[in-house]
Amino acid sequence: MNLLRRHPIAIALVALLLVTAFHPLPPLVDAATGSVPGDVELERPVLYVVLAPLSNVLDALTFFSMGRAYWALIVWAGALAAWGATRPGSVRRRVGFALVGPIAIMLLGGAAVVLPRPVPRLVAADSATTILDYHAHTEASHDGRAGWTMSRLAAWHARQGFEASYVTDHNAIFNLSVTDPIRLLPGVEWSVYRQHVIALGAVRPIVRDSFDASTPRMLKLFAELQRQGALGIASLPEYWRNHANDLDAFVDAGVDGFEIVNCAPKGLAFPAPLRREILALAQKHDLIVVGASDNHGWGQVTCVWNVSQPGAHGYRANRVVARPLALLQGEWLPWTAPVTQPWFLLRSLSWSERVSWLTWVLVILLYRAMPRRQGQPAGIGILARSLGPREP
């Protein structure tokens, strides 16, 4: 009881790590069926596992939808500020404590975006399949990260197991030949009337004003892409937010497929019921469904991979494999994020990651609980001295 009273946060974290182990989330799911894929696995580097508390927290921050991120930031920052303000001490000390928590939250968010770190990698059992990305950007996009060149984009994909990626910059056609470390494929993301259309393959320039001003005019773009011999994919979140009642018209106009997972914060809020509707529509009309990292140079990890089947066409040509923590963003109301995101994070841990968390908690708990004699310097040496032979 004395340990619980002195270190309630550490004890509560240990309890949560043990409880969530009985109801874990799988590392990956098939976004179409919800089943656990048996022919691919998520390979975690040793350093990623050793630093699991940091690795997993940064992943969880990366996989926030926009609305849930706002709620989590406001509630967590407010709670930490209130906790700091109630600490004993002078006014200056309490103000300092009140600022530490919100600043730490902001630093973690920044680290999730730009801090280089080890990341999980998808590995497929069948070498005949191709792991690829259908939607990614370089600095050529107006919202791409400065300095995010095609070589850096290719390296980002290679670290995570991708073998190829389409480059789909905003209204800027990519048609260069890049094969190292992975193949970069030609494409573009056309911005037309209230919709972004991913055009893949041998794309030629268009007059975008011809497909603006109304939904019927926008839909003519799909026929134009067919004439060019390119594929036209409807991107998230635009078709969900702006054209949810026009999806049959998309099919009639010649759309080749739909994104069903998009890792951008706006795309992660895609509601699960609408995803099921899109899957039914795509299956009925034999259209391809894809996942998109929608990488713009921000963030170190993807939430989705595509496993392309050789020789297959239409709905069966591609399987979308995603991290469950990302898919859950569209299934829970934004205001629940401050509680549900940590809960989903702990449920998503593998056993090796869970052991790493428990080890770090134990080390920190021992460090904090170790008694100090007067004049004894602080630091990790306290543990070494305590575990060593006692002086006579």
Side-chain angles (χ1 to χ4, degrees):
M1 290 302 293
N2 186 49
L3 187 64
L4 177 60
R5 186 174 64 254
R6 293 180 58 194
H7 306 286
I9 296 177
I11 300 304
L13 182 55
V14 169
L16 286 171
L17 286 165
L18 297 176
V19 168
T20 52
F22 290 97
H23 187 41
L25 291 170
L28 297 166
V29 294
D30 186 312
T33 65
S35 61
V36 178
D39 57 344
V40 294
E41 63 178 350
L42 203 58
E43 188 178 83
R44 300 169 178 84
V46 173
L47 188 58
Y48 180 92
V49 176
V50 171
L51 301 176
L54 179 62
S55 302
N56 303 141
V57 167
L58 295 182
D59 282 3
L61 292 174
T62 303
F63 299 152
F64 257 130
S65 67
M66 189 68 74
R68 286 172 60 82
Y70 284 141
W71 272 98
L73 175 62
I74 292 170
V75 173
W76 290 344
L80 289 172
W83 177 80
T86 59
R87 301 291 290 172
S90 65
V91 173
R92 182 176 179 180
R93 179 181 173 87
R94 283 185 281 127
V95 169
F97 275 124
L99 293 175
V100 167
I103 291 173
I105 293 292
M106 298 301 293
L107 289 175
L108 275 174
V113 172
V114 300
L115 182 67
R117 56 190 175 90
V119 293
R121 173 185 180 88
L122 189 74
V123 178
D126 186 357
S127 60
T129 61
T130 301
I131 301 172
L132 75 161
D133 190 2
Y134 282 91
H135 181 174
H137 298 259
T138 70
E139 63 181 352
S141 289
H142 68 273
D143 52 357
R145 181 179 174 184
W148 193 246
T149 62
M150 57 186 178
S151 60
R152 294 183 68 183
L153 178 69
W156 182 90
H157 280 90
R159 285 195 299 271
Q160 298 178 88
F162 290 98
E163 298 165 283
S165 174
Y166 287 95
V167 179
T168 54
D169 285 313
H170 292 291
N171 308 311
I173 296 173
F174 177 85
N175 54 12
L176 300 177
S177 177
V178 176
T179 59
D180 184 53
I182 66 167
R183 287 180 295 144
L184 295 183
L185 306 173
V188 64
E189 182 174 4
W190 292 125
S191 302
V192 286
Y193 179 73
R194 305 184 72 193
Q195 180 62 48
H196 290 180
V197 175
I198 306 301
L200 308 175
V203 184
R204 296 193 298 273
I206 64 170
V207 179
R208 287 194 295 128
D209 289 347
S210 302
F211 308 99
D212 214 340
S214 69
T215 297
R217 291 182 64 177
M218 177 272 292
L219 290 173
K220 293 180 180 179
L221 177 57
F222 295 113
E224 171 62 24
L225 293 177
Q226 287 183 345
R227 283 192 290 271
Q228 294 183 7
L231 293 180
I233 309 293
S235 176
L236 287 171
E238 289 79 20
Y239 78 74
W240 146 49
R241 291 184 173 178
N242 303 326
H243 300 287
N245 297 322
D246 303 319
L247 297 179
D248 287 329
F250 274 60
V251 175
D252 294 338
V255 69
D256 291 294
F258 295 90
E259 288 182 355
I260 59 169
V261 180
N262 184 299
C263 297
K266 292 185 293 185
L268 283 172
F270 188 44
L274 187 52
R275 181 181 292 113
R276 290 190 288 268
E277 289 182 25
I278 293 298
L279 286 166
L281 183 69
Q283 188 170 22
K284 178 181 177 180
H285 296 281
D286 197 28
L287 305 175
I288 191 171
V289 292
V290 305
S293 74
D294 202 1
N295 176 273
H296 284 71
W298 308 104
Q300 303 299 312
V301 290
T302 185
C303 73
V304 69
W305 295 260
N306 296 276
V307 182
S308 177
Q309 308 297 323
H313 301 279
Y315 187 77
R316 297 183 180 275
N318 186 67
R319 283 190 301 131
V320 181
V321 178
R323 299 277 292 268
L325 183 57
L327 294 183
L328 288 168
Q329 301 302 297
E331 298 184 17
W332 288 79
L333 294 172
W335 62 266
T336 67
V339 174
T340 55
Q341 195 78 350
W343 177 254
F344 296 145
L345 161 63
L346 295 178
R347 286 184 57 198
S348 67
L349 300 180
S350 66
W351 274 108
S352 58
E353 290 168 317
R354 204 172 295 275
V355 169
S356 178
W357 274 76
L358 289 169
T359 302
W360 278 103
V361 172
L362 179 61
V363 168
I364 294 172
L365 187 60
L366 286 173
Y367 171 75
R368 291 289 306 279
M370 203 63 65
R372 294 172 172 81
R373 294 187 297 273
Q374 185 175 5
Q376 185 181 46
I380 200 67
I382 293 172
L383 288 178
R385 289 193 292 273
S386 300
L387 296 174
R390 295 185 179 275
E391 297 179 2

